[in-house]
Amino acid sequence: MKVTLPALDTCESSFTPLVVLELAQDVKEETKEWLKNRIVSKKEDGGAQLLFRPLLNKYEKETLENQNLYLVGASKITLLLGAEAIGLVKECNDNTMRAFTYGTRHNFKDFDDDNNDFLTMAECQFIIKHELENLRAREEKMIPGYPQAKLYPGKSLLRRLLTSGIVIQVFPLHDNEALKKLEDSWYTRFTFKYQPLDRIRGYFGDTIALYFGFLEYFTVALIPMAVIGLPYYLFVWEDYDKYVIFASFNLIWSTVILEVWKRGCASMTYRWGTLVMKRQFEEPRPGFHGVLGINPVTGREEPLYPSYKRQLRIYLVSLPFVCLCLYFSLYVMMIYFDMEAWALSLHESSGSEWTSVLLYVPSIIYAIVIEIMNRLYRYAAEFLTSWENHRLESAYQNHLILKVLVFNFLNCFASLFYIAFVLRDMKLLRQSLATLLITSQILNQIMESLLPYWLQKKHHVQVKRKVQALKADIDATLYEQVVLEKEMGTYLGTFDDYLELFLQFGYVSLFSCVYPLAAAFAVLNNFTEVNSDALKMCRVLKRPFSEPSANIGVWQLAFETMSVISVVTNCALIGMSPQVNALFPESKLDLILIVVAVEHALLALKFILAFAIPDKPRHIQMKLARLEFESLEALKRQPSENIIEEKAPFAKEAKRENQMKLMAQNLKEDSREGNKEQEA
């Protein structure tokens, strides 16, 4: 990244700025000086040992708009030591994946003392974020200049600064040159080719690359369903008994694609190093609060919050609220059916072409209302989950995903289940499914990418005019970039993106025997989704910090659960078809028993397939086993005391406790043997 603004306030003016830190406008000078000292100080003095300077020097502050923007970078050795600290995994010269260590750096592929490309820019920015988040209070009782911002030993300074409003935001900078190369190979040319996932991972990190990898894989996997569904739609539309083959293929397809994805994901993340990356003990999330105490696991001083209070909040407040929202969703659904009945009666009474078009209006309105309700509920779910005060970020995400998935599933699919199994109107089911699917896809494309991109372009023009109106002797290229990026929207993670694919998977798999064209529409949407999401990541939103990821997490379980539900719905729909019912004119009990038996047989086949297909390819299993064996052998060569000191933060206390337990056990055995001798 080219740096064009001079830096007069730092002794190292040539460092590459990687991260921007924005302070509030009214931050006191003593707070700025204290924060700068903590960032640039050496590790042994409690600092992060990073490079830090203001965006503008004194002369430029008089000319340009004075904003509290600061640039953060790091020297090469700091980045390499940081890579070792976070357990970054890299490929060695012998083609194995191992945790990077600075002492053995020359054993890793592509490492050279003169090469600055060994660590990707995303990895460098993640290391800086890790170092900033691990700046912890030592003897300070408060943030200088802000007595109300209390500190205690071990508290993350960055998190306290963010929650106190002193630091507005921290975000990584784009590299315009690398971004342009990525765009040229990614989405600017509309060609049918695989995405450059390794380049995406190098620029945005593992989590983003995994999402785009899953989106690409899911789109390709939908093509067989779309190809098979088209002739069914054209030639055997009303012959529901012929859909047995199509529905059976759908069930096998949904199982196989999820299992094959796990294998491909394992191969991909092994190549990236995250599959074998060791997870560190998770730190408390920024919003977690409680009474200051000692964590019994880590021995660190941190806020403690009783779990029973959290459970009371979940079961007495959050659960009733979710149930109330679900009831409201069902109430809106019944209003939709009243609108459908009104439109149908109007069409039957007049029979004009205008009223035939009016038949689709209730479904379109309902689809728009569903999208609005989903977004409003998302904000409420985030507030409730934050109020529950979960200690770990993983627990927070799991509870949030559960709340949102339950509501979205009911909100999007309840009307379809009602039409299918209560009204038993297959024509209305087909119409509603098509309308909901197509309308939701169009709305998502507009709201997620097109509208934000238009607003961002408009803001970009305003910033450019403002910078061009400045004095000609100031090169403000970096200033323009930072000011523009700080106003961009913040990427909130892959949650909404995976949720969109999850609902799409439900539309395709749950009612495949009623509307086979669902897969075809999903394929068409996803081809544009790849480009619109890429545009959103590159030009609309701030660059997100890279996060190591070994898989798609809880979403894998969500997709597998949806595929199980699809078995039940498709079997029930086929059993309800007039052609199948005609085979059992006298006894409906026999029909029910046969449908249940077929359903259980398909579920058994599904689970057998899931068990038979390994989650990891054979060569990956062998490499992981080899690494585990070498780790055990390395541990055997170390003295036992060193192992204890490395594994436990309180090694001496642990060793003393073990010795005391052993002595107590020996005394018990001696006394037991003495009692036996006396009895004899």
Side-chain angles (χ1 to χ4, degrees):
M1 180 183 295
K2 184 181 178 181
V3 181
T4 54
L5 282 177
L8 305 179
D9 298 332
T10 178
C11 58
E12 297 190 53
S13 60
S14 61
F15 74 85
T16 300
L18 297 172
V19 174
V20 175
L21 191 147
E22 182 184 6
L23 303 182
Q25 289 294 328
D26 57 349
V27 173
K28 299 177 181 178
E29 289 299 325
E30 60 176 314
T31 309
K32 295 180 184 178
E33 192 63 27
W34 167 78
L35 179 60
K36 175 186 175 182
N37 290 335
R38 291 302 302 268
I39 291 176
V40 302
S41 296
K42 295 182 178 179
K43 289 289 187 69
E44 52 266 27
D45 298 329
Q49 207 163 339
L50 299 173
L51 304 176
F52 180 85
R53 70 171 177 84
L55 173 64
L56 305 176
N57 59 40
K58 296 177 181 178
Y59 166 68
E60 292 162 343
K61 284 181 180 180
E62 297 174 356
T63 308
L64 301 176
E65 184 180 350
N66 186 12
Q67 304 189 49
N68 282 332
L69 294 167
Y70 294 84
L71 305 176
V72 184
S75 63
K76 182 177 180 179
I77 187 170
T78 299
L79 292 172
L80 293 175
L81 292 174
E84 179 178 351
I86 64 175
L88 203 65
V89 174
K90 287 288 187 178
E91 187 177 5
C92 294
N93 292 323
D94 59 357
N95 297 323
T96 59
M97 305 298 295
R98 301 180 189 278
F100 176 80
T101 57
Y102 184 76
T104 60
R105 59 191 182 278
H106 293 288
N107 295 333
F108 290 86
K109 185 175 289 187
D110 299 328
F111 181 85
D112 193 325
D113 290 327
D114 299 327
N115 181 18
N116 294 323
D117 297 329
F118 177 70
L119 298 175
T120 66
M121 191 173 184
E123 290 170 342
C124 294
Q125 290 169 333
F126 177 69
I127 291 169
I128 290 179
K129 178 193 174 190
H130 176 267
E131 297 295 341
L132 290 175
E133 288 181 341
N134 279 275
L135 276 175
R136 300 189 177 276
R138 307 182 86 181
E139 299 177 355
E140 303 99 328
K141 301 298 181 183
M142 64 177 187
I143 294 177
Y146 294 87
Q148 72 279 9
K150 303 294 183 184
L151 294 174
Y152 52 84
K155 173 64 179 176
S156 172
L157 297 180
L158 182 61
R159 293 179 181 182
R160 173 59 73 205
L161 290 165
L162 286 168
T163 54
S164 302
I166 300 171
V167 173
I168 303 299
Q169 59 179 334
V170 181
F171 62 92
L173 269 177
H174 276 294
D175 183 342
N176 290 327
E177 185 178 343
L179 183 62
K180 185 67 171 63
K181 292 180 180 178
L182 176 61
E183 288 176 321
D184 290 339
S185 63
W186 191 6
Y187 72 91
T188 54
R189 300 172 184 174
F190 290 93
T191 57
F192 294 97
K193 61 179 181 179
Y194 290 109
Q195 299 177 90
L197 294 179
D198 289 334
R199 286 190 178 183
I200 298 171
R201 183 252 173 182
Y203 192 85
F204 288 109
D206 306 283
T207 303
I208 306 298
L210 272 178
Y211 162 70
F212 280 101
F214 182 75
L215 173 60
E216 177 183 84
Y217 171 81
F218 183 56
T219 304
V220 173
L222 281 168
I223 293 177
M225 284 291 296
V227 171
I228 296 175
L230 186 61
Y232 269 91
Y233 177 81
L234 295 176
F235 303 114
V236 290
W237 181 244
E238 298 295 341
D239 297 333
Y240 289 97
D241 54 335
K242 296 181 181 179
Y243 282 103
V244 174
I245 299 175
F246 181 70
S248 301
F249 174 78
N250 183 2
L251 302 176
I252 297 173
W253 165 85
S254 63
T255 302
V256 171
I257 65 165
L258 294 175
E259 294 300 319
V260 173
W261 161 254
K262 286 193 285 189
R263 292 170 59 85
C265 179
S267 299
M268 192 161 48
T269 52
Y270 178 83
R271 187 176 73 251
W272 293 345
T274 53
L275 187 64
V276 296
M277 190 173 180
K278 293 182 179 179
R279 297 290 178 264
Q280 297 177 336
F281 184 79
E282 205 170 345
E283 296 287 338
R285 52 184 296 270
F288 178 68
H289 59 272
V291 179
L292 190 63
I294 302 297
N295 187 308
V297 178
T298 63
R300 295 173 181 168
E301 194 174 16
E302 65 180 43
L304 301 178
Y305 188 77
S307 60
Y308 78 89
K309 289 186 178 180
R310 184 180 302 111
Q311 299 301 320
L312 288 175
R313 291 186 174 191
I314 292 173
Y315 292 109
L316 296 183
V317 179
S318 296
L319 183 59
F321 177 80
V322 173
C323 294
L324 181 64
C325 291
L326 296 178
Y327 172 78
F328 180 74
S329 174
L330 294 176
Y331 181 77
V332 173
M333 181 190 73
M334 299 311 297
I335 296 176
Y336 155 67
F337 285 120
D338 291 339
M339 293 172 60
E340 284 282 1
W342 170 79
L344 182 61
S345 63
L346 184 64
H347 176 67
E348 290 176 349
S349 61
S350 64
S352 64
E353 294 183 0
W354 180 83
T355 55
S356 63
V357 175
L358 187 64
L359 290 174
Y360 292 91
V361 173
S363 297
I364 295 174
I365 295 175
Y366 184 53
I368 296 173
V369 170
I370 283 176
E371 291 298 320
I372 295 173
M373 290 172 61
N374 285 343
R375 293 181 184 277
L376 292 177
Y377 177 82
R378 169 69 185 275
Y379 294 123
E382 288 178 347
F383 174 80
L384 271 180
T385 311
S386 179
W387 178 73
E388 289 167 3
N389 197 26
H390 296 279
R391 179 184 177 275
L392 302 180
E393 184 65 27
S394 58
Y396 170 84
Q397 290 294 334
N398 289 338
H399 281 79
L400 176 62
I401 289 173
L402 180 62
K403 289 186 183 71
V404 175
L405 279 185
V406 169
F407 181 81
N408 277 261
F409 181 84
L410 185 72
N411 200 28
C412 295
F413 299 116
S415 62
L416 301 178
F417 278 99
Y418 186 83
I419 295 171
F421 302 113
V422 177
L423 300 180
R424 298 191 177 187
D425 188 342
M426 295 302 160
K427 185 177 180 181
L428 180 59
L429 176 62
R430 187 186 315 136
Q431 172 188 316
S432 299
L433 177 59
T435 307
L436 288 174
L437 176 63
I438 297 171
T439 306
S440 64
Q441 289 177 347
I442 293 174
L443 288 176
N444 283 325
Q445 294 282 1
I446 294 173
M447 297 301 296
E448 286 186 4
S449 300
L450 298 180
L451 181 61
Y453 178 71
W454 178 77
L455 294 174
Q456 184 60 36
K457 287 285 286 184
K458 188 176 180 181
H459 175 68
H460 193 174
V461 171
Q462 293 175 353
V463 172
K464 207 153 191 143
R465 288 176 181 172
K466 191 174 183 180
V467 173
Q468 289 174 353
L470 300 172
K471 290 185 178 180
D473 57 342
I474 295 179
D475 184 4
T477 306
L478 183 59
Y479 173 81
E480 177 187 342
Q481 179 187 352
V482 173
V483 171
L484 178 64
E485 290 186 21
K486 85 179 185 67
E487 299 296 335
M488 287 181 173
T490 302
Y491 184 64
L492 300 177
T494 55
F495 183 93
D496 290 326
D497 298 317
Y498 278 119
L499 179 62
E500 184 180 348
L501 292 180
F502 172 77
L503 296 176
Q504 185 185 94
F505 181 69
Y507 286 126
V508 172
S509 62
L510 288 178
F511 305 99
S512 60
C513 62
V514 175
Y515 192 61
L517 279 185
F521 280 114
V523 170
L524 293 176
N525 174 78
N526 288 356
F527 273 124
T528 59
E529 184 77 16
V530 170
N531 293 290
S532 62
D533 283 350
L535 175 68
K536 175 180 68 176
M537 295 300 305
C538 294
R539 293 298 174 185
V540 177
L541 301 176
K542 289 188 187 75
R543 183 179 186 175
F545 278 106
S546 168
E547 291 290 343
S549 297
N551 48 56
I552 62 174
V554 71
W555 290 105
Q556 181 77 35
L557 178 61
F559 277 87
E560 291 172 353
T561 304
M562 181 69 82
S563 67
V564 172
I565 298 174
S566 69
V567 175
V568 181
T569 57
N570 281 281
C571 289
L573 287 172
I574 292 173
M576 289 167 51
S577 65
Q579 290 82 2
V580 175
N581 273 265
L583 301 176
F584 301 89
E586 298 179 356
S587 176
K588 297 301 179 185
L589 180 61
D590 294 341
L591 173 60
I592 295 174
L593 292 176
I594 290 176
V595 170
V596 172
V598 171
E599 173 206 329
H600 280 63
L602 290 173
L603 283 174
L605 175 62
K606 176 181 177 60
F607 291 122
I608 290 172
L609 284 173
F611 178 78
I613 302 175
D615 291 348
K616 299 180 181 68
R618 177 70 176 172
H619 68 282
I620 298 296
Q621 294 180 19
M622 296 298 295
K623 290 178 179 178
L624 293 177
R626 181 67 181 174
L627 285 175
E628 186 176 357
F629 172 76
E630 291 177 356
S631 299
L632 291 174
E633 289 296 311
L635 286 174
K636 289 178 182 178
R637 299 190 194 102
Q638 296 181 7
S640 58
E641 292 184 0
N642 291 343
I643 297 175
I644 294 176
E645 289 176 359
E646 289 177 2
K647 288 192 172 183
F650 304 102
K652 294 181 180 179
E653 288 80 359
K655 185 177 179 181
R656 191 179 300 113
E657 288 181 7
N658 291 334
Q659 291 175 346
M660 295 295 291
K661 289 179 182 178
L662 184 60
M663 291 173 60
Q665 185 178 357
N666 292 335
L667 288 173
K668 287 182 180 180
E669 292 177 355
D670 292 341
S671 62
R672 194 179 298 114
E673 291 178 358
N675 292 335
K676 289 181 179 180
E677 291 177 358
Q678 289 179 0
E679 291 175 359

